[in-house]
Amino acid sequence: MDHFDHHDGRLWCEQVPLDELAAEVGTPAFVYSASTMRDHVSRLREAFEGLDPLICYAVKANSNLAVLRLLRKAGCGFDIVSGGELKRIQRIGADASRVVFSGVGKSVREMTAGLQAGVLMFNVESEAELEILAEVAAHVGQTAGVAIRVNPDVDPKTHRYITTGKKENKFGVDLERGEALARRAIELPGIELRGIQCHIGSQITDVAPYGVAIERTAALARRLQPDAPDLAWLNMGGGYGIYYRDADAPDLADYATAVRPALEGLGLRLIMEPGRVIVGNAGVMLTKVVLGKTSGAKRFVIVDAGMNDLIRPSLYEGYHRIWPVRGDAPPALGTEADAAPVDIVGPVCESGDFLAVDRPLPAVERGDVLGVMSVGAYAFTMSSNYNDRPRAPEVLVDGDQYAVVRERESHDDLVRLERPDAKLRSLGASAGEQESHT
Ligand code: LLP
């Protein structure tokens, strides 16, 4: 469900016509629908009714401050993976007691910041991390709430780059080590075992692996419960799939049905860390046709957005629907008989710079604006300045109005930190000056 609709000869985001918006804000540009994001949060709540989940939105999917503020108002907590994401949610006044801190390589600086902020818990992914966190907690003089992230060894049947719950992945600890680690957490001073967590991957469209993963995770929690007085949460991670094609995602209620039996009678509250399912289908990227070109049998449409703006097609073989914002609505997938297949590519100097390959598209001309759908998640947050391209603006639409919630970068923004005239100096001459992540 989303609030993008093609009618009256153009594509609309809520009540804003996107051809006019493109003329006003320029291209490329990301446009998000506020109503779609709010709806997705409500739908998640409805689907998991009775389980009363704490929805910790995964900030990495889309970390724009306006989006975070909107989701805080919609009642979300947050799942963060860095000190930078912590600073973002602090800026929008998030309640730290509804925040989980994930990540396989948290630095001492990040642990300290999380503790000082008072996050609900750290998702701990290794023995070494737990020991370091205990030391940091002692140093800061605070108790660290933790969840042990277990790796339940299930195959979520998604792209290999976004599979996390198999034994060979770097995430979490296997179930046997997980139990030992949890018992260590119960004993360690300065540490409070508050939860067990798992996250098996992203864009998962088969609900069955969730059932198995949660069953294994819940069984571990049951074994621990008699010895773990503070164990109150089971965190099932995120990963719910969305529709990139027509209807390739299950109903949210199906995910809930898959995990309900394992949670029955467990007496733990549910946390989830959804990112994509809340924001993914709430975004479109507007891009303008620069020119068309033919090479051998291939037809190319070159547009002004490239892999630096949207890397998902190049990196994960990601599919995003693309259609002109002006003209007829796109036909149902697979019935675009009149539309000749073209490669829709960007201006970046890489053969891997494409948004779509062999894609049916009606005839387009220089200056026409195309809408690249389902780019609310992992699009802007993964964008870069490669080829010295300023990052695109982000626009939030609500009803019949819009706001530019991140401006287009300028050339000055791109060179702001460069020091071409910096003087060479000897090692040690500036000891203590440098900041690092650790
Ligand atoms: N929790 C943890 C521990 C995660 O690692 C992730 C995503 C999430 C929650 C949120 O997952 P979601 O509900 O959004 O699927 N860049 C890739 C996706 C990477 C996902 C990384 N972890 C893409 O564009 O497909």
Side-chain angles (χ1 to χ4, degrees):
M1 219 291 301
D2 62 60
H3 293 258
F4 293 96
D5 194 25
H6 221 115
H7 61 82
D8 299 318
R10 48 197 185 168
L11 177 64
W12 300 71
C13 174
E14 307 197 14
Q15 286 103 60
V16 173
L18 291 179
D19 51 345
E20 284 181 38
L21 184 62
E24 236 167 89
V25 302
T27 57
F30 288 96
V31 181
Y32 307 133
S33 156
S35 304
T36 307
M37 294 182 186
R38 286 188 208 106
D39 271 10
H40 287 162
V41 176
S42 315
R43 277 161 190 260
L44 263 178
R45 279 219 185 83
E46 275 162 35
F48 284 79
E49 214 191 329
L51 292 171
D52 187 25
L54 171 57
I55 300 176
C56 291
Y57 166 70
V59 171
K60 64 172 88 67
N62 185 326
S63 61
N64 184 286
L65 293 172
V67 169
L68 299 180
R69 197 170 59 182
L70 180 155
L71 293 175
R72 174 179 62 75
K73 285 188 184 154
C76 291
F78 296 97
D79 163 37
I80 56 171
V81 294
S82 69
E85 288 189 353
L86 175 62
K87 288 207 171 99
R88 277 187 180 264
I89 59 150
Q90 286 177 318
R91 258 176 205 269
I92 55 109
D95 174 359
S97 71
R98 296 160 67 79
V99 172
V100 295
F101 201 146
S102 309
V104 70
K106 300 171 198 80
S107 67
V108 166
R109 188 185 287 257
E110 288 173 325
M111 290 176 180
T112 306
L115 277 167
Q116 284 167 344
V119 299
L120 174 60
M121 61 187 115
F122 293 87
N123 293 336
V124 168
E125 305 217 13
S126 63
E127 287 85 356
E129 182 187 347
L130 185 66
E131 301 299 328
I132 299 169
L133 183 59
E135 277 171 28
V136 177
H139 189 71
V140 176
Q142 273 178 31
T143 301
V146 304
I148 302 301
R149 175 170 179 178
V150 293
N151 185 330
D153 196 26
V154 297
D155 183 357
K157 304 194 191 86
T158 181
H159 193 276
R160 63 189 188 290
Y161 286 5
I162 49 178
T163 293
T164 51
K166 287 169 75 179
K167 261 196 176 145
E168 61 267 33
N169 300 127
K170 71 175 177 183
F171 298 100
V173 289
D174 64 51
L175 286 163
E176 298 85 72
R177 296 176 90 100
E179 177 157 357
L181 187 56
R183 293 195 183 280
R184 174 82 181 134
I186 296 168
E187 282 165 15
L188 258 181
I191 298 284
E192 207 169 277
L193 179 72
R194 296 187 184 156
I196 302 292
Q197 191 253 9
C198 73
H199 170 81
I200 55 176
S202 194
Q203 184 55 16
I204 301 172
T205 52
D206 178 358
V207 301
Y210 275 102
V212 179
I214 299 307
E215 201 182 285
R216 291 180 185 168
T217 310
L220 169 60
R222 273 204 184 83
R223 285 200 298 280
L224 291 166
Q225 266 172 330
D227 308 314
D230 303 309
L231 183 59
W233 302 90
L234 189 142
N235 181 339
M236 66 179 289
Y240 316 125
I242 64 168
Y243 47 91
Y244 283 104
R245 297 166 199 263
D246 263 350
D248 48 8
D251 264 8
L252 287 174
D254 297 346
Y255 294 96
T257 307
V259 302
R260 264 179 214 280
L263 298 169
E264 201 87 6
L266 190 61
L268 296 184
R269 256 198 86 188
L270 183 65
I271 297 186
M272 59 174 71
E273 303 170 348
R276 188 188 320 256
V277 78
I278 294 177
V279 294
N281 288 132
V284 64
M285 180 172 71
L286 302 175
T287 181
K288 200 174 280 170
V289 174
V290 177
L291 51 87
K293 125 175 202 179
T294 304
S295 176
K298 270 273 184 202
R299 288 180 55 227
F300 294 98
V301 170
I302 301 176
V303 296
D304 65 0
M307 66 190 294
N308 72 297
D309 300 295
L310 177 67
I311 202 171
R312 301 198 69 264
S314 316
L315 190 57
Y316 312 110
E317 299 158 322
Y319 179 102
H320 292 266
R321 291 208 77 177
I322 304 180
W323 205 254
V325 299
R326 218 185 275 217
D328 293 337
L333 269 190
T335 64
E336 307 96 332
D338 300 339
V342 294
D343 285 8
I344 303 167
V345 301
V348 172
C349 299
E350 297 259 356
S351 296
D353 177 31
F354 53 82
L355 300 181
V357 175
D358 282 334
R359 190 66 72 75
L361 193 74
V364 288
E365 285 177 8
R366 182 168 174 227
D368 285 354
V369 176
L370 308 182
V372 182
M373 307 305 292
S374 306
V375 299
Y378 306 112
F380 184 87
T381 48
M382 296 185 77
S383 65
S384 77
N385 294 122
Y386 187 40
N387 277 204
D388 239 61
R389 292 168 49 79
R391 278 179 296 174
E394 295 175 285
V395 178
L396 188 66
V397 166
D398 203 348
D400 59 2
Q401 296 192 309
Y402 78 90
V404 177
V405 291
R406 190 181 204 274
E407 290 177 21
R408 187 183 305 284
E409 280 175 342
S410 66
H411 174 69
D412 282 349
D413 293 327
L414 266 56
V415 297
R416 193 170 58 86
L417 300 174
E418 295 185 30
R419 304 283 180 268
D421 303 323
K423 282 213 172 59
L424 294 167
R425 55 188 168 193
S426 306
L427 273 175
S430 62
E433 250 179 49
Q434 293 298 316
E435 278 226 349
S436 90
H437 291 292
T438 52

